[in-house]
Amino acid sequence: MKKAEAHYPFLLACRKQPTPYTPIWLMRQAGRYMKEYRTLRKTFSFLEMCKNPEVAAQVTLQPIEKFKLDAAIIFSDILIPLEPMGVEFEFAKGEGPVFHHPIRELKQIEQLRVIEPERDVPFLMEAIRIVRRELEGKIPLIGFSGAPFTLASYMIEGGHSRNYILTKGMMYQNPTSWDCLMGKICETLISYLNAQIRAGAQALQIFDSWVGCLSPQDYKEYVFPYSKRVMDGVDRSVPLIHFATSSSTLLEPMKQAGGDVIGVDWRINLKEAWARIGEGIAIQGNLDPVILFSPVGLIEREVKRILDQAENRPGHIFNLGHGILPNTPVEHVAALVEMVHEYSSRS
């Protein structure tokens, strides 16, 4: 850790070092629940916001100006590196991402490119540089990517999926295609994440949003080698957070795949999760995002419950178990941040 960053509680917690309080940031802390974001969306499409460095930086900073968060996360999307790989998609209203030509055959995979981030997604690198200048000396900036399995599932299914029939079909029935696709994704992600570090990201999070659909055995056989390849290939001068949803059955192999911090969702007791991954690693989580729609008294009770589970051990980063939901009351987000700082104060 650079000397200038040594006082940031978030980075200290990532390294399991003592902090004056439990640091907190929130997945999707820049987004639709904020009026400022919705105002910008009247002018720009989602992808236009991602690809405009000044706008992406502005959105990144919106929650930082409103709440006393301990880290910012660059405004972008896990699908951003896929377009320059040669995969066309759009965000359809009410449907999320839709891929025009899903990846189903080996010849399609062979045509995919491994991207050169500074050339292919320069807007992201510029947004990171802008935000770093704005945040210098205040709080650190997190960069991120999707994980190999999650990105592969989007590419194969053509969008969201309930059962991942096509993805699992390639895994089980066409190992040559699966290995070729996952290999190209891995190469792209290693380059993509390292470019974010060069641009100024001070920590990274890898989102494996859909991997919870797999059994532990399938994870170990079809996903673990590729997730580990990415994490082994990333510059570890910055902390790496490994996050997945519905992953309570996968914590041990996720830890083995890599990461300084394991992010968990609300489906597991934080104390149990920590016992399973071991004390030598930091943990992030894990308030249910829906709790933020509840009365403040209930939010307070849940915050105390999670902090009690962490037992003031170094290496706890407070977060939601997934992203903030649209229509979440802004005042409840503010209250959450204040509660975490107040109830975890070591002074």
Side-chain angles (χ1 to χ4, degrees), residues 47 51 79-91 96-103 108 112 154-159:
L47 278 177
K51 294 181 179 182
L79 302 181
I80 289 298
L82 300 191
E83 191 174 48
M85 287 184 73
V87 184
E88 295 181 3
F89 64 90
E90 64 177 339
F91 284 88
V98 176
F99 290 73
H100 301 296
H101 304 287
I103 302 297
Q108 291 175 285
L112 296 176
Y154 270 114
M155 296 162 77
I156 297 166
E157 301 288 342

Side-chain angles (χ1 to χ4, degrees), residues 18-35:
T19 57
Y21 56 82
T22 299
I24 175 173
W25 72 278
L26 305 170
M27 288 178 276
R28 294 201 199 117
Q29 63 190 25
R32 288 174 288 175
Y33 74 104
M34 293 189 71
K35 178 179 67 175

